[in-house]
PDB file of all heavy atoms in Angstrom:
ATOM      1  N   ASP A  19       0.852  -1.188   0.000  1.00 47.00           N
ATOM      2  CA  ASP A  19       0.000   0.000   0.000  1.00 47.00           C
ATOM      3  C   ASP A  19       0.889   1.240   0.000  1.00 47.00           C
ATOM      4  O   ASP A  19       2.106   1.154  -0.113  1.00 47.00           O
ATOM      5  CB  ASP A  19      -0.963  -0.009   1.188  1.00 47.00           C
ATOM      6  CG  ASP A  19      -0.245  -0.078   2.533  1.00 47.00           C
ATOM      7  OD1 ASP A  19       0.910   0.399   2.601  1.00 47.00           O
ATOM      8  OD2 ASP A  19      -0.832  -0.582   3.503  1.00 47.00           O
ATOM      9  N   SER A  20       0.283   2.417   0.171  1.00 47.00           N
ATOM     10  CA  SER A  20       1.028   3.670   0.031  1.00 47.00           C
ATOM     11  C   SER A  20       2.058   3.888   1.117  1.00 47.00           C
ATOM     12  O   SER A  20       2.970   4.688   0.963  1.00 47.00           O
ATOM     13  CB  SER A  20       0.049   4.849   0.004  1.00 47.00           C
ATOM     14  OG  SER A  20      -0.699   4.892   1.208  1.00 47.00           O
ATOM     15  N   SER A  21       1.948   3.208   2.237  1.00 60.00           N
ATOM     16  CA  SER A  21       2.899   3.406   3.337  1.00 60.00           C
ATOM     17  C   SER A  21       3.632   2.118   3.684  1.00 60.00           C
ATOM     18  O   SER A  21       4.152   1.982   4.784  1.00 60.00           O
ATOM     19  CB  SER A  21       2.165   3.953   4.572  1.00 60.00           C
ATOM     20  OG  SER A  21       1.195   3.021   5.015  1.00 60.00           O
ATOM     21  N   GLY A  22       3.686   1.170   2.738  1.00 74.00           N
ATOM     22  CA  GLY A  22       4.234  -0.151   3.028  1.00 74.00           C
ATOM     23  C   GLY A  22       5.660  -0.135   3.524  1.00 74.00           C
ATOM     24  O   GLY A  22       5.961  -0.686   4.587  1.00 74.00           O
ATOM     25  N   LEU A  23       6.593   0.510   2.788  1.00 81.00           N
ATOM     26  CA  LEU A  23       8.004   0.483   3.163  1.00 81.00           C
ATOM     27  C   LEU A  23       8.248   1.258   4.451  1.00 81.00           C
ATOM     28  O   LEU A  23       8.986   0.807   5.324  1.00 81.00           O
ATOM     29  CB  LEU A  23       8.858   1.056   2.035  1.00 81.00           C
ATOM     30  CG  LEU A  23      10.364   1.027   2.282  1.00 81.00           C
ATOM     31  CD1 LEU A  23      10.857  -0.405   2.489  1.00 81.00           C
ATOM     32  CD2 LEU A  23      11.120   1.694   1.147  1.00 81.00           C
ATOM     33  N   VAL A  24       7.619   2.421   4.591  1.00 84.00           N
ATOM     34  CA  VAL A  24       7.810   3.220   5.797  1.00 84.00           C
ATOM     35  C   VAL A  24       7.326   2.453   7.023  1.00 84.00           C
ATOM     36  O   VAL A  24       8.014   2.402   8.054  1.00 84.00           O
ATOM     37  CB  VAL A  24       7.082   4.575   5.681  1.00 84.00           C
ATOM     38  CG1 VAL A  24       7.114   5.307   7.014  1.00 84.00           C
ATOM     39  CG2 VAL A  24       7.711   5.425   4.600  1.00 84.00           C
ATOM     40  N   ALA A  25       6.161   1.846   6.915  1.00 84.00           N
ATOM     41  CA  ALA A  25       5.621   1.086   8.041  1.00 84.00           C
ATOM     42  C   ALA A  25       6.529  -0.084   8.399  1.00 84.00           C
ATOM     43  O   ALA A  25       6.780  -0.368   9.575  1.00 84.00           O
ATOM     44  CB  ALA A  25       4.218   0.594   7.706  1.00 84.00           C
ATOM     45  N   ALA A  26       7.051  -0.769   7.368  1.00 84.00           N
ATOM     46  CA  ALA A  26       7.928  -1.917   7.615  1.00 84.00           C
ATOM     47  C   ALA A  26       9.234  -1.483   8.286  1.00 84.00           C
ATOM     48  O   ALA A  26       9.731  -2.142   9.210  1.00 84.00           O
ATOM     49  CB  ALA A  26       8.224  -2.636   6.309  1.00 84.00           C
ATOM     50  N   LEU A  27       9.791  -0.351   7.840  1.00 89.00           N
ATOM     51  CA  LEU A  27      11.032   0.147   8.446  1.00 89.00           C
ATOM     52  C   LEU A  27      10.809   0.624   9.879  1.00 89.00           C
ATOM     53  O   LEU A  27      11.683   0.477  10.738  1.00 89.00           O
ATOM     54  CB  LEU A  27      11.614   1.273   7.595  1.00 89.00           C
ATOM     55  CG  LEU A  27      12.157   0.869   6.218  1.00 89.00           C
ATOM     56  CD1 LEU A  27      12.635   2.088   5.435  1.00 89.00           C
ATOM     57  CD2 LEU A  27      13.298  -0.138   6.352  1.00 89.00           C
ATOM     58  N   GLN A  28       9.650   1.214  10.141  1.00 89.00           N
ATOM     59  CA  GLN A  28       9.344   1.627  11.513  1.00 89.00           C
ATOM     60  C   GLN A  28       9.271   0.423  12.446  1.00 89.00           C
ATOM     61  O   GLN A  28       9.777   0.464  13.571  1.00 89.00           O
ATOM     62  CB  GLN A  28       8.029   2.421  11.530  1.00 89.00           C
ATOM     63  CG  GLN A  28       8.159   3.814  10.940  1.00 89.00           C
ATOM     64  CD  GLN A  28       6.828   4.514  10.769  1.00 89.00           C
ATOM     65  OE1 GLN A  28       5.760   3.879  10.784  1.00 89.00           O
ATOM     66  NE2 GLN A  28       6.872   5.832  10.578  1.00 89.00           N
ATOM     67  N   ARG A  29       8.635  -0.654  11.964  1.00 86.00           N
ATOM     68  CA  ARG A  29       8.599  -1.879  12.771  1.00 86.00           C
ATOM     69  C   ARG A  29      10.001  -2.443  12.955  1.00 86.00           C
ATOM     70  O   ARG A  29      10.341  -2.925  14.038  1.00 86.00           O
ATOM     71  CB  ARG A  29       7.696  -2.927  12.099  1.00 86.00           C
ATOM     72  CG  ARG A  29       6.226  -2.696  12.260  1.00 86.00           C
ATOM     73  CD  ARG A  29       5.428  -3.972  11.988  1.00 86.00           C
ATOM     74  NE  ARG A  29       5.751  -4.548  10.702  1.00 86.00           N
ATOM     75  CZ  ARG A  29       5.138  -4.222   9.568  1.00 86.00           C
ATOM     76  NH1 ARG A  29       4.173  -3.312   9.576  1.00 86.00           N
ATOM     77  NH2 ARG A  29       5.480  -4.783   8.426  1.00 86.00           N
ATOM     78  N   LEU A  30      10.807  -2.388  11.879  1.00 88.00           N
ATOM     79  CA  LEU A  30      12.181  -2.873  11.952  1.00 88.00           C
ATOM     80  C   LEU A  30      12.964  -2.122  13.024  1.00 88.00           C
ATOM     81  O   LEU A  30      13.677  -2.723  13.840  1.00 88.00           O
ATOM     82  CB  LEU A  30      12.857  -2.719  10.592  1.00 88.00           C
ATOM     83  CG  LEU A  30      14.368  -2.978  10.539  1.00 88.00           C
ATOM     84  CD1 LEU A  30      14.667  -4.437  10.848  1.00 88.00           C
ATOM     85  CD2 LEU A  30      14.945  -2.591   9.182  1.00 88.00           C
ATOM     86  N   ALA A  31      12.850  -0.785  13.021  1.00 91.00           N
ATOM     87  CA  ALA A  31      13.574   0.023  14.008  1.00 91.00           C
ATOM     88  C   ALA A  31      13.109  -0.281  15.421  1.00 91.00           C
ATOM     89  O   ALA A  31      13.928  -0.421  16.348  1.00 91.00           O
ATOM     90  CB  ALA A  31      13.391   1.504  13.680  1.00 91.00           C
ATOM     91  N   THR A  32      11.817  -0.408  15.592  1.00 90.00           N
ATOM     92  CA  THR A  32      11.270  -0.703  16.923  1.00 90.00           C
ATOM     93  C   THR A  32      11.742  -2.065  17.421  1.00 90.00           C
ATOM     94  O   THR A  32      12.182  -2.216  18.578  1.00 90.00           O
ATOM     95  CB  THR A  32       9.729  -0.668  16.877  1.00 90.00           C
ATOM     96  OG1 THR A  32       9.298   0.632  16.462  1.00 90.00           O
ATOM     97  CG2 THR A  32       9.142  -0.982  18.253  1.00 90.00           C
ATOM     98  N   ASN A  33      11.674  -3.069  16.553  1.00 86.00           N
ATOM     99  CA  ASN A  33      12.111  -4.421  16.938  1.00 86.00           C
ATOM    100  C   ASN A  33      13.611  -4.467  17.212  1.00 86.00           C
ATOM    101  O   ASN A  33      14.058  -5.171  18.133  1.00 86.00           O
ATOM    102  CB  ASN A  33      11.749  -5.423  15.850  1.00 86.00           C
ATOM    103  CG  ASN A  33      10.255  -5.660  15.750  1.00 86.00           C
ATOM    104  OD1 ASN A  33       9.525  -5.459  16.727  1.00 86.00           O
ATOM    105  ND2 ASN A  33       9.785  -6.073  14.576  1.00 86.00           N
ATOM    106  N   ALA A  34      14.402  -3.723  16.435  1.00 88.00           N
ATOM    107  CA  ALA A  34      15.846  -3.709  16.645  1.00 88.00           C
ATOM    108  C   ALA A  34      16.189  -3.113  18.006  1.00 88.00           C
ATOM    109  O   ALA A  34      17.062  -3.621  18.723  1.00 88.00           O
ATOM    110  CB  ALA A  34      16.535  -2.909  15.537  1.00 88.00           C
ATOM    111  N   GLU A  35      15.514  -2.037  18.379  1.00 90.00           N
ATOM    112  CA  GLU A  35      15.773  -1.425  19.692  1.00 90.00           C
ATOM    113  C   GLU A  35      15.367  -2.355  20.823  1.00 90.00           C
ATOM    114  O   GLU A  35      16.050  -2.455  21.850  1.00 90.00           O
ATOM    115  CB  GLU A  35      15.024  -0.089  19.782  1.00 90.00           C
ATOM    116  CG  GLU A  35      15.606   0.993  18.870  1.00 90.00           C
ATOM    117  CD  GLU A  35      14.923   2.333  19.057  1.00 90.00           C
ATOM    118  OE1 GLU A  35      13.770   2.351  19.549  1.00 90.00           O
ATOM    119  OE2 GLU A  35      15.546   3.370  18.717  1.00 90.00           O
ATOM    120  N   ARG A  36      14.249  -3.061  20.614  1.00 86.00           N
ATOM    121  CA  ARG A  36      13.756  -3.958  21.670  1.00 86.00           C
ATOM    122  C   ARG A  36      14.600  -5.226  21.790  1.00 86.00           C
ATOM    123  O   ARG A  36      14.957  -5.647  22.891  1.00 86.00           O
ATOM    124  CB  ARG A  36      12.291  -4.322  21.385  1.00 86.00           C
ATOM    125  CG  ARG A  36      11.681  -5.289  22.397  1.00 86.00           C
ATOM    126  CD  ARG A  36      10.188  -5.436  22.132  1.00 86.00           C
ATOM    127  NE  ARG A  36       9.913  -5.870  20.774  1.00 86.00           N
ATOM    128  CZ  ARG A  36       9.901  -7.147  20.387  1.00 86.00           C
ATOM    129  NH1 ARG A  36      10.188  -8.114  21.267  1.00 86.00           N
ATOM    130  NH2 ARG A  36       9.636  -7.477  19.147  1.00 86.00           N
ATOM    131  N   LEU A  37      14.976  -5.812  20.642  1.00 82.00           N
ATOM    132  CA  LEU A  37      15.694  -7.092  20.665  1.00 82.00           C
ATOM    133  C   LEU A  37      17.191  -6.915  20.916  1.00 82.00           C
ATOM    134  O   LEU A  37      17.806  -7.713  21.628  1.00 82.00           O
ATOM    135  CB  LEU A  37      15.480  -7.828  19.339  1.00 82.00           C
ATOM    136  CG  LEU A  37      14.043  -8.277  19.033  1.00 82.00           C
ATOM    137  CD1 LEU A  37      13.971  -8.849  17.626  1.00 82.00           C
ATOM    138  CD2 LEU A  37      13.568  -9.298  20.059  1.00 82.00           C
ATOM    139  N   PHE A  38      17.799  -5.877  20.314  1.00 87.00           N
ATOM    140  CA  PHE A  38      19.258  -5.707  20.393  1.00 87.00           C
ATOM    141  C   PHE A  38      19.704  -4.690  21.439  1.00 87.00           C
ATOM    142  O   PHE A  38      20.898  -4.527  21.684  1.00 87.00           O
ATOM    143  CB  PHE A  38      19.815  -5.284  19.024  1.00 87.00           C
ATOM    144  CG  PHE A  38      19.549  -6.263  17.913  1.00 87.00           C
ATOM    145  CD1 PHE A  38      19.107  -5.825  16.672  1.00 87.00           C
ATOM    146  CD2 PHE A  38      19.725  -7.627  18.115  1.00 87.00           C
ATOM    147  CE1 PHE A  38      18.863  -6.720  15.641  1.00 87.00           C
ATOM    148  CE2 PHE A  38      19.479  -8.527  17.091  1.00 87.00           C
ATOM    149  CZ  PHE A  38      19.049  -8.083  15.848  1.00 87.00           C
ATOM    150  N   ASN A  39      18.722  -3.965  22.008  1.00 89.00           N
ATOM    151  CA  ASN A  39      19.037  -2.946  23.008  1.00 89.00           C
ATOM    152  C   ASN A  39      19.974  -1.883  22.431  1.00 89.00           C
ATOM    153  O   ASN A  39      21.010  -1.526  23.001  1.00 89.00           O
ATOM    154  CB  ASN A  39      19.657  -3.570  24.261  1.00 89.00           C
ATOM    155  CG  ASN A  39      19.716  -2.590  25.426  1.00 89.00           C
ATOM    156  OD1 ASN A  39      18.884  -1.689  25.526  1.00 89.00           O
ATOM    157  ND2 ASN A  39      20.697  -2.764  26.295  1.00 89.00           N
ATOM    158  N   ILE A  40      19.635  -1.363  21.245  1.00 91.00           N
ATOM    159  CA  ILE A  40      20.419  -0.326  20.575  1.00 91.00           C
ATOM    160  C   ILE A  40      19.508   0.851  20.242  1.00 91.00           C
ATOM    161  O   ILE A  40      18.277   0.768  20.411  1.00 91.00           O
ATOM    162  CB  ILE A  40      21.062  -0.841  19.272  1.00 91.00           C
ATOM    163  CG1 ILE A  40      19.970  -1.221  18.255  1.00 91.00           C
ATOM    164  CG2 ILE A  40      22.007  -2.001  19.542  1.00 91.00           C
ATOM    165  CD1 ILE A  40      20.488  -1.460  16.856  1.00 91.00           C
ATOM    166  N   GLU A  41      20.109   1.916  19.758  1.00 93.00           N
ATOM    167  CA  GLU A  41      19.347   3.038  19.218  1.00 93.00           C
ATOM    168  C   GLU A  41      19.283   2.888  17.705  1.00 93.00           C
ATOM    169  O   GLU A  41      20.312   2.876  17.025  1.00 93.00           O
ATOM    170  CB  GLU A  41      20.028   4.365  19.564  1.00 93.00           C
ATOM    171  CG  GLU A  41      19.309   5.573  18.990  1.00 93.00           C
ATOM    172  CD  GLU A  41      20.065   6.872  19.215  1.00 93.00           C
ATOM    173  OE1 GLU A  41      20.968   6.891  20.076  1.00 93.00           O
ATOM    174  OE2 GLU A  41      19.757   7.858  18.507  1.00 93.00           O
ATOM    175  N   CYS A  42      18.094   2.753  17.174  1.00 93.00           N
ATOM    176  CA  CYS A  42      17.894   2.590  15.724  1.00 93.00           C
ATOM    177  C   CYS A  42      17.001   3.734  15.251  1.00 93.00           C
ATOM    178  O   CYS A  42      15.830   3.818  15.607  1.00 93.00           O
ATOM    179  CB  CYS A  42      17.255   1.241  15.411  1.00 93.00           C
ATOM    180  SG  CYS A  42      17.183   0.858  13.640  1.00 93.00           S
ATOM    181  N   LYS A  43      17.569   4.618  14.444  1.00 93.00           N
ATOM    182  CA  LYS A  43      16.901   5.861  14.066  1.00 93.00           C
ATOM    183  C   LYS A  43      16.616   5.893  12.567  1.00 93.00           C
ATOM    184  O   LYS A  43      17.467   5.565  11.750  1.00 93.00           O
ATOM    185  CB  LYS A  43      17.791   7.042  14.451  1.00 93.00           C
ATOM    186  CG  LYS A  43      17.209   8.405  14.110  1.00 93.00           C
ATOM    187  CD  LYS A  43      18.191   9.500  14.518  1.00 93.00           C
ATOM    188  CE  LYS A  43      17.647  10.873  14.147  1.00 93.00           C
ATOM    189  NZ  LYS A  43      18.627  11.951  14.485  1.00 93.00           N
ATOM    190  N   LEU A  44      15.383   6.307  12.229  1.00 92.00           N
ATOM    191  CA  LEU A  44      15.029   6.559  10.839  1.00 92.00           C
ATOM    192  C   LEU A  44      15.185   8.051  10.594  1.00 92.00           C
ATOM    193  O   LEU A  44      14.388   8.857  11.071  1.00 92.00           O
ATOM    194  CB  LEU A  44      13.589   6.134  10.550  1.00 92.00           C
ATOM    195  CG  LEU A  44      13.239   4.658  10.745  1.00 92.00           C
ATOM    196  CD1 LEU A  44      11.777   4.425  10.421  1.00 92.00           C
ATOM    197  CD2 LEU A  44      14.115   3.781   9.891  1.00 92.00           C
TER     198      LEU A  44
END
């Protein structure tokens, strides 16, 4: 959809911070 990549990257950043305990910034 129109926000597919942005939404996927936001989830990626959130999961990376939660799983790896790092700062992941878009």
Side-chain angles (χ1 to χ4, degrees):
D19 58 28
S20 60
S21 62
L23 183 60
V24 172
L27 292 177
Q28 287 171 343
R29 283 199 306 272
L30 171 65
T32 300
N33 290 335
E35 290 185 338
R36 178 173 56 85
L37 295 174
F38 300 135
N39 192 29
I40 64 168
E41 178 186 343
C42 188
K43 180 181 178 183
L44 299 180

